[in-house]
Amino acid sequence: MRVVLGILGALVVGGIFSSVLRTLVIPRPTRSGFTRAVQTTVRWAFQMPADRFTSAEVKDRVLAPAASVAILMTLVGWLACFMIGYGLLEAAVSGLGATAALREAGSSMFTLGFASSEHADLTAIDFCAAATGPITIGLQIGYLPALYGAYQRRETEVTLLQARTGSPPWGPQILARYAQVGIIDSIGELFRGWERWSAEVSESHTTYPILIHFRSPKANRNWLVAMLAVMDAAALRLALNPSCPQAEVRMALRAGYVCLREIADVRGIPYDRDPSPDGPVSVTYEDFLQGLARMADQGYSAERTPEEAWPDFRGWRINYEAVAYRLAYDIDAVPAPWSGPRRTAEAIIVPDTPVDRRPVARS
């Protein structure tokens, strides 16, 4: 029986140690079953009441703490499992009862020192337990600045996009806004910035998957919806104005769907790696015409007719639409035009666009 307890204890300690390494230390996308199970359970506890509401603002308030609570509960789960694992090892080595073994393991792990025994063969286990508790807590504390630094860098660009195009962002509205203020020729700067942003998000959100569920400070903003809007704007620009400079636009579009696919790989979301350009998309031709009408109202000049541009737009969008829609559904992003369905039936929020107040010339 003591041998079985020892094996179980070693497996628990080793497994949780592996989970800590995969989550906090190894700087590359690695999957920890324990971490994922804890965080999924916590998010489910928040998602269940959120699904009872149809208001995007109310759902955002309910879901906002979920990711932070998931991080805290992961730490609690690690410490609890370490204590159980060391308790099993101590029971196996010394023959202590379950209560006494857990008491000594907890006293050692949290360096409280209120429980000790006269068994010399427990010393090595006590020392290991005493090191494990502070190291795990220290690693978690060190993990938070990297996590929140990546979050702040992500949200800076999302906020800038709101100032430029409105919120929630929408692909046609981006081009319409740039045309409205007469800076459409400088839109390449936007796409260059979002190419780099996509690369940073790809790196941070695959290394720290919990970032996917960190919500924006405002209910009508969301990193995924912003990314989808920029990609749609790029696809529209390529389809409507083929003679304009394409390097920045195409690189931003490619960086966007590569980012989405890498996040999908980490989350185990299946997708077609080589979709047919002639395949169907959820955005209909009528939706496409509505977007073009919005752009034309603000003075956007297109080289192609809608009939000529539609096949190209559809061919670009099919590369990222399915993955973006699935992620938007999973994280319950703010409902926005051309961003797919949500977990509950919600009205699409029409973008709130900033209005320029220009001085009137006086005679």
Side-chain angles (χ1 to χ4, degrees):
M1 184 63 183
R2 293 174 63 178
V3 172
V4 174
L5 291 177
I7 293 173
L8 288 176
L11 289 175
V12 171
V13 171
I16 299 302
F17 182 71
S18 174
S19 177
V20 172
L21 284 179
R22 290 171 180 270
T23 305
L24 303 180
V25 180
I26 299 175
R28 64 183 300 176
T30 53
R31 302 178 68 175
S32 167
F34 179 84
T35 302
R36 175 171 292 190
V38 172
Q39 294 178 353
T40 299
T41 302
V42 172
R43 289 197 303 271
W44 175 83
F46 282 86
Q47 190 67 62
M48 288 293 288
D51 286 345
R52 297 178 179 272
F53 301 99
T54 57
S55 167
E57 290 78 8
V58 175
K59 293 182 74 170
D60 185 75
R61 286 198 297 270
V62 174
L63 293 172
S68 300
V69 173
I71 293 172
L72 177 62
M73 293 308 299
T74 301
L75 175 61
V76 172
W78 283 332
L79 295 176
C81 289
F82 271 131
M83 190 171 73
I84 293 172
Y86 282 121
L88 291 171
L89 288 173
E90 294 194 346
V93 170
S94 65
L96 291 173
T99 302
L102 286 174
R103 179 181 175 86
E104 180 150 344
S107 173
S108 300
M109 260 192 64
F110 299 106
T111 65
L112 299 175
F114 66 85
S116 61
S117 66
E118 298 179 355
H119 297 277
D121 48 2
L122 294 180
T123 302
I125 298 175
D126 286 340
F127 281 154
C128 290
T132 297
I135 287 175
T136 302
I137 295 173
L139 287 174
Q140 181 76 308
I141 292 173
Y143 163 81
L144 293 178
L147 198 68
Y148 284 95
Y151 169 76
Q152 290 174 349
R153 290 191 298 273
R154 184 191 80 184
E155 291 301 315
T156 297
E157 289 297 326
V158 176
T159 304
L160 281 173
L161 191 67
Q162 177 190 13
R164 294 176 181 180
T165 66
S167 186
W170 178 37
Q173 182 60 40
I174 293 176
L175 297 180
R177 177 65 175 168
Y178 269 74
Q180 179 190 20
V181 297
I183 56 174
I184 193 66
D185 291 336
S186 64
I187 199 170
E189 179 185 354
L190 172 74
F191 292 125
R192 283 194 297 272
W194 277 81
E195 178 190 0
R196 179 171 294 276
W197 180 91
S198 296
E200 290 181 355
V201 167
S202 176
E203 187 276 331
S204 60
H205 287 51
T206 55
T207 303
Y208 310 119
I210 191 64
L211 278 170
I212 298 169
H213 296 276
F214 270 69
R215 305 183 75 83
S216 295
K218 300 289 185 179
N220 60 350
R221 295 207 302 257
N222 179 268
W223 67 272
L224 181 59
V225 172
M227 183 184 200
L228 181 58
V230 172
M231 294 171 72
D232 281 339
L236 286 166
R237 185 71 171 165
L238 291 171
L240 292 167
N241 299 84
S243 68
C244 293
Q246 294 194 357
E248 298 94 343
V249 188
R250 294 191 66 165
M251 289 300 99
L253 188 56
R254 178 165 178 80
Y257 70 72
V258 167
C259 171
L260 290 176
R261 290 181 178 190
E262 290 184 350
I263 293 174
D265 289 337
V266 169
R267 293 180 60 82
I269 297 174
Y271 59 88
D272 187 353
R273 295 182 179 273
D274 188 22
S276 171
D278 298 325
V281 293
S282 295
V283 173
T284 65
Y285 185 63
E286 289 71 24
D287 296 331
F288 180 69
L289 291 177
Q290 290 177 2
L292 297 190
R294 172 61 179 161
M295 294 159 56
D297 288 343
Q298 300 303 317
Y300 185 85
S301 178
E303 300 171 15
R304 286 177 168 175
T305 65
E307 293 81 5
E308 294 171 334
W310 169 247
D312 279 2
F313 174 75
R314 184 182 61 192
W316 286 115
R317 199 173 206 269
I318 200 170
N319 288 291
Y320 57 86
E321 183 187 80
V323 176
Y325 280 18
R326 170 64 187 274
L327 287 172
Y329 178 89
D330 286 351
I331 67 176
D332 232 342
V334 56
W338 296 13
S339 65
R342 297 296 183 267
R343 301 174 64 91
T344 55
E346 302 172 51
I348 293 176
I349 298 178
V350 178
D352 180 16
T353 308
V355 178
D356 284 345
R357 300 299 184 187
R358 301 182 181 182
V360 178
R362 297 181 179 178
S363 56

